Amino acid sequence: MNATMIVDSGADFSIISLKAGQDLGYALADGEHISICQTIGGTVEYVLRQIEMTIDGYNLMVPTAWIQNNTADVMLLGREVVFDKFNIEFRQADEEIIFIPILKKNTTILLSPPLSKGGLGGVKDCCTILEKWYYQT
């Protein structure tokens, strides 16, 4: 299922609507606990699910609140897990949101520098490829 979600740096968890959860095949188990939280718009009932999401080709399991009433169709991408895996750039003037994967130290990256000068290229060629990548300690 492809979905458009609003990136919400103020939301702890991601949120999907009742219909989206049903479209994904989710159903409440007998006796499953429904949690309640207070939002700006009022009280919301939800159950927590681990949803596999793919963002820019990266798969991750994201804890997501599945709303249990028809209060909203808006879906939010919250901080939990997502903000730990990506640095997120908000470019308001360009109306863009860019997800930049965070690489752990000692991550192996295989690079293929340009062969523009009849060779494998140099360190400088490799470094320019990595300019947008950040390293997490």
Side-chain angles (χ1 to χ4, degrees):
M1 168 181 174
N2 288 325
T4 300
M5 301 179 84
I6 296 171
V7 178
D8 186 350
S9 61
D12 293 330
F13 292 103
S14 296
I15 297 172
I16 61 170
S17 66
L18 177 63
K19 183 178 180 335
Q22 292 168 338
D23 290 348
L24 289 168
Y26 293 139
L28 287 177
D30 290 337
E32 183 172 8
H33 176 73
I34 296 176
S35 299
I36 299 173
C37 72
Q38 186 67 36
T39 68
I40 294 172
T43 301
V44 175
E45 295 179 346
Y46 70 94
V47 291
L48 204 56
R49 294 286 191 262
Q50 292 291 325
I51 297 181
E52 183 176 0
M53 295 185 185
T54 303
I55 300 173
D56 282 348
Y58 291 87
N59 293 334
L60 46 150
M61 295 301 290
V62 179
T64 304
W66 175 32
I67 302 300
Q68 292 302 295
N69 48 32
N70 288 316
T71 55
D73 286 330
V74 173
M75 296 196 291
L76 302 177
L77 190 63
R79 291 188 317 270
E80 189 72 26
V81 175
V82 176
F83 280 52
D84 294 330
K85 302 292 183 184
F86 294 93
N87 284 316
I88 302 172
E89 281 186 26
F90 295 88
R91 294 186 178 177
Q92 185 168 326
D94 298 329
E95 296 182 0
E96 288 183 319
I97 300 172
I98 301 170
F99 290 81
I100 303 165
I102 298 171
L103 299 178
K104 303 256 184 218
K105 284 191 175 183
N106 299 322
T107 299
T108 302
I109 304 170
L110 300 175
L111 298 174
S112 180
L115 301 174
S116 61
K117 297 182 182 171
L120 290 176
V123 173
K124 186 173 184 177
D125 291 329
C126 291
C127 291
T128 57
I129 293 170
L130 293 176
E131 277 182 50
K132 292 296 296 174
W133 293 73
Y134 297 99
Y135 290 89
Q136 178 178 333
T137 56

